[in-house]
Amino acid sequence: MFKIPFLDLPPLRGAAGTVRLPGSKSISNRVLLLAALSEGRTVVRDLLASDDTAVMLDALRALGCGVWREGEAVVIDGLGGRLRAREAQLFLGNAGTAMRPLTAALAVLAATQGGSFEVSGVPRMHERPIGDLVDALRGLGCAIDDLGNPGYPPLRLRGPSALALDAPVRVRGDVSSQFLTALLLALPLVAAQDIRIEVIGELISKPYIEITLALLARFGIAVKREGWQAFVIPAGSRYRSPGEVFVEGDASSASYFVGLGAIAATDAPIRIEGVGSESLQGDVRFIEAAAAMGADVKAGPNWLEVRRGAWPLKGITLDCNHIPDAAMTLTVMALYADGPTTLTNIASWRVKETDRIAAMATELRKLGATVDEGPDWIRVEPLQGWQAASIHTYDDHRVAMCFSLAAFNGLVTERPQPVRILEPHCVAKTFPDYFETLFGVVTARAADIPVITIDGPTASGKGTLADEVGKALGFGVLDSGALYRVTGLAARRAGLDLDDGRAVAALVPTLQLAFRDGHVFLGQEDVSARLRAEATGLLASQVAAHAEVRQALHQLQLDFRRLPGLVADGRDMGTAIFPDAALKVFLTASAATRAERRHKQLISKGISANIESLREDLEARDERDKNRSASPLTPAQDALLLDNSNLSIEESVTQVLGWWQQRRPF
Ligand code: DC
């Protein structure tokens, strides 16, 4: 998604349809590292494409691994446990699933083969603990330098140094299960003898260890487990590529759509493809929690179907240690419940991408909710007086995704409120097109979907302004002129008399129009360039004069009113097509300025032009447009006039965004 400062979710009402989940983050990064450490080549399919996997792939390249794409697959040429680079500086963003295992693997590889490797990340990464893992590795004999605060990244991993593998390796299990995962992934590299790992304290997030063990098995390592307290890597273990690996859909990401189904799928279900009853990931057990809150869930081997069951949802009390990430979704579902929801045993939330207990409590309160929190628990009361809120997301993808479910407040309150998600691009950590996927399966009332209209005379810069405002807000853009242009073009090609309004109007429903990535297709043909030609503009102005043609294009234009909002550009947008638009702008650059702009445009295209005659043309066209009987060019009564004669594009955009902000409840 384009990087926008905020995304406003209008009130949403219903949900139905199918979503295909992106690959699991936890599995993706483990598989990448395992493939890199293995002997042989691994073809990884359905890999998650996201910030966290990108930093892992960059790191593997820096270590000398062969990494390339083959179609949709990523191919890794493994190191076979032998370092190809002896020095590297690895930037790992905010990816715990890259930082912890790479630290362990590089520490033992540097110890046995020599080298010096630095691992670092974003500032938040340098606040996320890694001391327990470092202590365990130092206990083994690894040489690790703290390059910042002791116990936190950045770190330097050096060697050679002697490893002592006779005694058990001891690691704490009660802060992050990733420390144990990191050791389990690293120590097979040096398993000349049995290596025993012992967990100190109660192991949290056990399902993530199950993922680690299952993937180790795929790569040839059969770890022996004694309960959850001790793990033995057998002597002679060696990583071997299984050749091909399929990455499951992300079960934590599924939680938003499970929640969505429970709240809003009153008719057809939300079908989620990529996870199901046979998933490796512990977070798939989120469906049990959702069912306890009332969701109607069906599960197949790699799919789920969810509908609303009980409504309102039921408040629950649940130990969430086994589903730490997905459980965040329950706190937003709790707003729609019949009583309080209490989640316990979630201390690990405090050391994730952000302090998630504090983050969820703070942001839920902005919506009006009553929330209590403790060191390792949170309690959320059902919400009655919903408030419009601007949700801070703390660079935490899950906070952003969870809060999208708050946009369904119109299902429980008479006065629905939009929800503003700040820095929505943080979802790229695990689910880059989350919001697009969401908008594909939810419905809103047309009247709730905001429209900004930008009207004005020809060559006033409407199109550019509309595009920029659309980009800034993440809204779609309707270039209504293009519809008249394509109609004119098609009518001419069909040999119609352009003065015969009825004949041209009859052509409109038969047009095979498609709009993709800013291009206009007529049938299979990309006509975007043709549409911009001056000659096509003349055809357009001819057909646009007929009331029948305008009527025929009416519904097509209304259909552009889609989530999350629309910027509509064209002379009758604020008057005839979207009279209820929340903001109407009428551009009024002087004829002289517009003639100058058009002149520059033409000259830059290598077309010679004369400013004086351009200006006369524009004035004549203004006169015609103002005085024609069908939709003459006049500002809507409630339009704000913007004379951009002396404004840069940025200044005009800033002005329109400023007006827009004044009309928002945030
Ligand atoms: O904005 P444009 O130059 O692409 O518009 C092409 C023609 O279509 C122009 O003559 C005005 C007409 N038009 C219209 O009548 N109503 C609209 N909403 C958009 C364009």
Side-chain angles (χ1 to χ4, degrees):
M1 186 203 256
F2 186 75
K3 273 206 180 187
I4 51 177
F6 58 82
L7 176 66
D8 289 349
L9 303 175
L12 303 175
R13 305 277 171 173
T18 300
V19 294
R20 171 105 214 139
L21 293 172
S24 153
K25 174 185 66 161
S26 308
I27 295 179
S28 291
N29 267 355
R30 281 172 176 77
V31 164
L32 289 178
L33 183 61
L34 287 165
L37 298 177
S38 289
E39 185 118 18
R41 196 165 276 188
T42 309
V43 179
V44 186
R45 301 197 186 277
D46 299 333
L47 184 75
L48 170 65
S50 76
D51 294 349
D52 278 15
T53 51
V55 293
M56 179 62 106
L57 286 165
D58 286 346
L60 298 182
R61 281 192 198 97
L63 294 172
C65 252
V67 176
W68 65 94
R69 292 202 159 272
E70 268 180 30
E72 299 281 287
V74 171
V75 184
I76 309 281
D77 209 3
L79 298 171
R82 282 174 302 279
L83 281 172
R84 283 185 204 149
R86 293 299 153 109
E87 266 181 47
Q89 296 194 332
L90 306 180
F91 175 78
L92 302 173
N94 198 7
T97 54
M99 176 61 76
R100 278 72 178 255
L102 275 170
T103 293
L106 289 173
V108 302
L109 288 173
T112 51
Q113 299 172 35
S116 173
F117 301 94
E118 287 181 22
V119 288
S120 66
V122 298
R124 172 63 187 171
M125 191 76 226
H126 297 173
E127 295 169 4
R128 296 177 67 184
I130 196 167
D132 294 325
L133 176 61
V134 170
D135 288 347
L137 291 166
R138 282 184 182 145
L140 263 175
C142 295
I144 302 179
D145 304 327
D146 295 305
L147 301 178
N149 289 332
Y152 299 87
L155 302 169
R156 183 186 302 116
L157 317 159
R158 274 187 294 111
S161 61
L163 294 183
L165 295 162
D166 296 333
V169 183
R170 295 163 64 81
V171 65
R172 273 183 63 179
D174 54 357
V175 173
S176 166
S177 66
Q178 285 181 6
F179 303 151
L180 175 57
T181 281
L183 292 173
L184 286 167
L185 295 177
L187 293 177
L189 293 167
V190 290
Q193 62 196 94
D194 275 7
I195 301 179
R196 186 178 168 83
I197 306 171
E198 290 179 1
V199 177
I200 312 167
E202 168 77 11
L203 178 65
I204 61 166
S205 312
K206 296 184 183 81
Y208 284 101
I209 301 302
E210 302 215 51
I211 295 178
T212 302
L213 296 177
L215 293 176
L216 279 165
R218 288 279 282 146
F219 282 83
I221 314 291
V223 177
K224 290 190 229 117
R225 172 161 87 77
E226 297 165 20
W228 294 102
Q229 290 320 119
F231 300 80
V232 177
I233 298 165
S237 288
R238 243 187 57 225
Y239 277 127
R240 274 190 314 276
S241 167
E244 185 179 41
V245 179
F246 287 83
V247 176
E248 292 178 8
D250 193 292
S252 314
S253 299
S255 71
Y256 315 110
F257 296 96
V258 173
L260 174 65
I263 292 167
T266 49
D267 197 2
I270 284 285
R271 184 178 165 92
I272 302 160
E273 297 189 339
V275 299
S277 52
E278 288 180 8
S279 292
L280 287 180
Q281 302 161 77
D283 263 2
V284 74
R285 289 189 57 200
F286 175 81
I287 58 179
E288 295 163 19
M293 291 191 79
D296 172 359
V297 184
K298 285 197 188 66
N302 67 346
W303 56 264
L304 303 169
E305 281 186 4
V306 188
R307 287 171 210 262
R308 185 193 276 182
W311 190 255
L313 296 175
K314 292 181 277 195
I316 58 170
T317 295
L318 189 68
D319 179 329
C320 289
N321 198 267
H322 63 302
I323 50 169
D325 289 348
M328 292 167 74
T329 310
L330 299 172
T331 63
V332 183
M333 292 169 70
L335 301 174
Y336 301 94
D338 58 0
T341 291
T342 308
L343 309 183
T344 62
N345 206 359
I346 52 169
S348 70
W349 284 25
R350 296 218 181 259
V351 294
K352 298 275 178 152
E353 280 78 345
T354 183
D355 177 341
R356 286 177 166 170
I357 295 182
M360 294 309 286
T362 306
E363 303 309 309
L364 287 165
R365 285 182 193 124
K366 285 188 191 162
L367 294 169
T370 302
V371 184
D372 290 314
E373 59 171 298
D376 66 346
W377 58 270
I378 189 167
R379 181 168 53 247
V380 183
E381 306 277 344
L383 182 47
Q384 259 100 43
W386 289 78
Q387 295 159 15
S390 210
I391 302 299
H392 192 70
T393 49
Y394 309 87
D395 200 19
D396 186 342
H397 53 139
R398 301 210 182 283
V399 175
M401 294 191 276
C402 279
F403 273 92
S404 61
L405 297 181
F408 287 89
N409 60 76
L411 298 175
V412 291
T413 171
E414 292 291 306
R415 293 165 44 86
Q417 301 292 341
V419 178
R420 171 166 289 184
I421 307 287
L422 298 173
E423 317 257 324
H425 45 84
C426 66
V427 300
K429 191 167 203 288
T430 51
F431 202 152
D433 56 359
Y434 173 73
F435 289 105
E436 291 82 348
T437 306
L438 178 74
F439 294 146
V441 291
V442 299
T443 53
R445 290 186 186 155
D448 285 337
I449 299 177
V451 178
I452 299 174
T453 61
I454 300 187
D455 300 1
T458 192
S460 59
K462 303 190 289 292
T464 312
L465 181 60
D467 283 345
E468 292 300 317
V469 170
K471 259 194 231 163
L473 296 172
F475 284 10
V477 176
L478 165 60
D479 168 9
S480 61
L483 297 180
Y484 288 95
R485 286 168 181 261
V486 81
T487 303
L489 183 69
R492 166 53 48 85
R493 286 181 177 180
L496 298 183
D497 171 5
L498 299 195
D499 290 329
D500 183 349
R502 247 197 261 163
V504 178
L507 179 72
V508 169
T510 69
L511 297 179
Q512 306 277 321
L513 283 182
F515 303 85
R516 284 193 296 271
D517 309 324
H519 288 245
V520 185
F521 292 82
L522 185 55
Q524 299 300 320
E525 184 190 349
D526 182 349
V527 290
S528 316
R530 281 304 293 273
L531 293 192
R532 280 190 292 270
E534 287 295 311
T536 317
L538 287 176
L539 302 178
S541 88
Q542 245 179 305
V543 299
H546 304 299
E548 298 95 327
V549 174
R550 306 196 74 83
Q551 186 51 40
L553 286 171
H554 197 108
Q555 185 60 44
L556 194 57
Q557 297 175 79
L558 295 183
D559 291 343
F560 276 80
R561 191 170 195 164
R562 287 193 293 257
L563 290 166
L566 177 67
V567 183
D569 131 35
R571 54 207 56 217
D572 61 345
M573 293 297 104
T575 47
I577 309 296
F578 300 110
D580 67 333
L583 172 64
K584 300 177 185 177
V585 178
F586 194 88
L587 286 183
T588 60
S590 68
T593 312
R594 288 184 281 135
E596 238 169 77
R597 288 180 190 159
R598 180 58 54 92
H599 185 251
K600 262 199 208 133
Q601 225 175 36
L602 293 173
I603 297 294
S604 75
K605 284 191 213 154
I607 304 168
S608 67
N610 170 295
I611 293 201
E612 262 322 298
S613 69
L614 280 173
R615 179 185 166 150
E616 277 163 25
D617 277 358
L618 284 174
E619 278 168 342
R621 224 164 127 178
D622 284 355
E623 226 25 60
R624 226 179 21 244
D625 285 346
K626 267 189 236 157
N627 297 319
R628 75 180 182 203
S629 62
S631 289
L633 176 67
T634 45
Q637 279 191 337
D638 49 348
L640 298 178
L641 301 190
L642 178 60
D643 184 337
N644 69 2
S645 306
N646 297 310
L647 297 182
S648 67
I649 292 168
E650 293 77 46
E651 287 168 328
S652 300
V653 172
T654 304
Q655 176 61 70
V656 172
L657 292 177
W659 283 334
W660 180 239
Q661 179 54 28
Q662 282 167 17
R663 287 162 192 236
R664 304 261 72 199
F666 304 108

